[in-house]
Amino acid sequence: MSFINYSSREINCKLVYYGPGLCGKTTNLQYIYAKTSPDAKGKMISLATETERTLFFDFLPLSLGEIRGFKTRFHLYTVPGQVFYDASRKLILKGVDGVVFVADSQIERMEANIESLDNLRLNLTEQGYDLDKLPYVIQYNKRDLPNAAPLDQLRNVLNPTKVQEFEACATSGVGVFDTLKAVAKSVLTELKRGS
Amino acid sequence: MSGPDVMFHEEQQQISMVCARLQRDANAKAVLLIGRDGQPIAEAGDVDELDVTSLSSLTAGNVAATGGISKILREKDFTSQFHEGEKTHVHITLVGGRAILVVLFDERSSLGLVRLRVKKSSDEMARLFEQVAKKAAAKSQPSILTEITDSDIDNLFND
């Protein structure tokens, strides 16, 4: 849930990157961290296993500038993508203001994408949210791979509600900031709309 | 979905004073007050060397995970936690179901003293959070959100 502090003049929001295991959620955050100036970011935290798979979450605090004298701060989180970490995913969705669903474009990961998206919907519902009412964008990651499914196929299956979508290659950074900007803008617009 | 959490200047000052008093009375190194979603709210004591943002996020994650455990065990929330370190110890308490109070202390204090002081301060903080919630619900203060225009948001994202 966003937090507005009239004393320190800050607007704080929480974004969550969701998606199947190894789809590139952590890579998105790592790219953002690497390309953001030191004064606009805090430390990136990764709670990962010894094999560098996300165990609980990654966390990256970002400052996006000021609106009407209020600093806007976004806290970026990833969830662990592996199926058996579902309890942890639920916890991280608490208080979410905006969601990025990172899909793995590889044709053989289509089932995993569908399962993760269903899981996102279900877990949000359990927390009292509705994905269709939440600021939400989709990123089709790994577009550079030879086994990437055609975009239309991904769209048909994963984006029936036609939310904003972006093609990306998180390792090289293509589409990473476009995705972030779109969801952050959508969160602020929703916050204003709900006031 | 409910509206955003807010904090107003008057209550922020009072909460900061309660944190400062707690830090002094408990002989603590530092006191942090954090929203349940991991947003830092107030701090007191020796925080210059601390990464407050990271500490807040990790503590909120820790409290959320503990809450998950309590659910599985069919317990009500575990309202406090204690981490014993070699030099620094951490006492974590939920305040009025809205915030997390963290006290960092060392050998100059004791768990008993911290617990005693935390109890009094957290009651006071819970009352202040109630006050904020009432004020926010009454919409007696002008909201920054109504002043924001679409072009303000667009300008934030212009390269």
Side-chain angles (χ1 to χ4, degrees):
Chain A
M1 189 190 291
S2 49
F3 174 54
I4 302 172
N5 192 325
Y6 286 89
S7 185
S8 55
R9 300 183 76 76
E10 284 178 6
I11 300 172
N12 294 277
C13 303
K14 178 175 179 176
L15 301 179
V16 174
Y17 283 67
Y18 213 92
L22 297 172
C23 68
K25 301 174 289 294
T26 301
T27 313
N28 262 270
L29 258 63
Q30 284 168 337
Y31 187 83
I32 294 165
Y33 181 78
K35 296 293 174 186
T36 305
S37 67
D39 53 331
K41 69 184 175 193
K43 223 182 250 173
M44 179 169 165
I45 293 170
S46 286
L47 300 180
T49 65
E50 278 178 10
T51 52
E52 302 212 342
R53 301 293 302 272
T54 304
L55 177 65
F56 195 5
F57 58 78
D58 304 304
F59 168 71
L60 174 60
L62 277 187
S63 295
L64 288 190
E66 287 194 8
I67 291 186
R68 305 240 158 189
F70 277 67
K71 290 176 217 124
T72 55
R73 294 185 199 278
F74 281 81
H75 286 181
L76 277 51
Y77 286 84
T78 66
V79 297
Q82 293 177 84
V83 175
F84 56 87
Y85 289 132
D86 197 38
S88 304
R89 276 193 293 277
K90 285 181 194 175
L91 297 177
I92 293 152
L93 283 176
K94 276 187 185 169
V96 67
D97 295 301
V99 176
V100 174
F101 183 79
V102 181
D104 189 329
S105 291
Q106 297 178 93
I107 194 95
E108 55 273 18
R109 296 298 285 162
M110 194 60 108
E111 278 300 313
N113 288 327
I114 295 168
E115 193 183 344
S116 178
L117 192 54
D118 286 346
N119 178 256
L120 168 63
R121 239 174 225 290
L122 188 72
N123 283 345
L124 281 172
T125 307
E126 275 187 30
Q127 310 280 342
Y129 296 99
D130 179 350
L131 184 60
D132 298 328
K133 290 182 183 155
L134 206 61
Y136 162 54
V137 302
I138 295 184
Q139 180 189 82
Y140 304 115
N141 194 23
K142 308 192 188 182
R143 295 306 298 157
D144 56 321
L145 294 186
N147 53 343
L151 197 58
D152 279 348
Q153 193 180 335
L154 288 163
R155 231 176 230 153
N156 286 340
V157 176
L158 302 174
N159 193 9
T161 54
K162 299 193 168 42
V163 296
Q164 266 189 292
E165 53 187 15
F166 299 89
E167 290 186 73
C169 170
T171 47
S172 64
V174 175
V176 168
F177 276 96
D178 292 335
T179 309
L180 171 64
K181 280 181 185 177
V183 72
K185 197 171 169 181
S186 176
V187 165
L188 291 173
T189 307
E190 178 60 26
L191 204 54
K192 174 182 149 44
R193 199 189 61 78
S195 66
Chain B
M1 208 166 55
S2 52
D5 272 341
V6 293
M7 177 56 69
F8 300 110
H9 188 61
E10 190 189 338
E11 285 79 10
Q12 173 80 55
Q13 280 190 320
Q14 292 181 47
I15 283 174
S16 295
M17 275 167 55
V18 178
C19 284
R21 197 173 58 227
L22 170 62
Q23 186 258 327
R24 205 178 48 235
D25 291 351
N27 274 342
K29 284 165 82 173
V31 170
L32 303 175
L33 188 69
I34 302 162
R36 279 198 85 153
D37 297 331
Q39 321 280 11
I41 298 173
E43 59 200 38
D46 198 2
V47 291
D48 291 344
E49 301 291 307
L50 286 179
D51 179 351
V52 172
T53 310
S54 300
L55 200 56
S56 300
S57 156
L58 286 171
T59 305
N62 186 349
V63 168
T66 311
I69 294 171
S70 71
K71 240 185 199 171
I72 290 169
L73 298 178
R74 293 184 186 154
E75 260 296 334
K76 232 183 138 195
D77 259 346
F78 294 121
T79 48
S80 72
Q81 292 181 44
F82 172 58
H83 300 296
E84 187 173 2
E86 249 180 49
K87 288 180 187 158
T88 303
H89 318 300
V90 187
H91 186 272
I92 301 172
T93 340
L94 290 176
V95 177
R98 294 167 190 274
I100 303 161
L101 180 60
V102 182
V103 180
L104 306 177
F105 64 101
D106 57 18
E107 76 286 347
R108 288 172 296 177
S109 187
S110 67
L111 181 58
L113 178 64
V114 169
R115 269 195 180 143
L116 185 73
R117 301 300 188 199
V118 159
K119 174 79 183 83
K120 193 178 164 207
S121 301
S122 59
D123 289 347
E124 210 169 330
M125 284 173 181
R127 194 179 47 74
L128 287 165
F129 276 114
E130 279 298 316
Q131 201 171 303
V132 172
K134 274 186 194 153
K135 236 188 214 183
K139 298 199 170 174
S140 54
Q141 310 268 324
S143 168
I144 172 68
L145 299 174
T146 54
E147 291 173 25
I148 293 175
T149 62
D150 289 342
S151 62
D152 285 335
I153 296 174
D154 285 337
N155 288 339
L156 194 63
F157 296 99
N158 287 343
D159 290 321

